[in-house]
């Protein structure tokens, strides 16, 4: 099984939670449009001024998604 990588988009400020939640919708739209076999997306509120949206990809599609969507960072995903 290939590695899973969590691509992360950071949002800061008072509207960060709503922005991250909305960004997840765009990530799901991208997955459908590109017909990718990606099933894990989400958003998390870290604190009042920081939230993230994320998508978990495999090694095989990481470069494609990274180049198209330009995440702020990534990390290995462990369930």
């Amino acid at each position: 099984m290939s590695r899973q990588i969590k691509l992360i988009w950071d949002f800061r400020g008072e509207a960060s939670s709503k922005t991250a939640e909305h960004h997840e919708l765009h990530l799901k739209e991208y997955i459908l449009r590109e017909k990718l076999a990606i099933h894990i997306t989400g958003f998390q509120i870290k604190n009042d001024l920081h939230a993230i949206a994320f998508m978990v990809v495999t090694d095989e599609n990481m470069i494609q998604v990274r180049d198209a969507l330009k995440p702020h960072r990534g990390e290995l995903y462990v369930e």
Side-chain angles (χ1 to χ4, degrees):
M1 184 175 190
S2 64
R3 291 184 309 171
Q4 291 185 306
I5 301 161
K6 183 177 181 181
L7 299 178
I8 301 168
W9 291 262
D10 291 290
F11 300 97
R12 299 186 185 278
E14 293 178 1
S16 62
S17 60
K18 290 292 182 188
T19 305
E21 182 178 9
H22 181 78
H23 191 72
E24 182 191 10
L25 297 176
H26 291 295
L27 296 177
K28 289 178 178 181
E29 289 171 352
Y30 176 81
I31 291 167
L32 289 174
R33 186 174 61 245
E34 298 297 318
K35 298 176 177 70
L36 298 174
I38 296 173
H39 306 290
I40 303 173
T41 64
F43 73 96
Q44 295 175 334
I45 300 168
K46 298 296 187 177
N47 61 47
D48 290 345
L49 299 174
H50 182 213
I52 65 168
F54 64 88
M55 172 192 296
V56 177
V57 301
T58 61
D59 281 331
E60 290 78 29
N61 54 20
M62 191 277 295
I63 299 291
Q64 172 194 349
V65 174
R66 181 199 68 193
D67 290 351
L69 302 181
K70 303 196 183 343
H72 298 126
R73 57 194 172 100
E75 59 188 39
L76 287 178
Y77 179 73
V78 245
E79 295 183 62

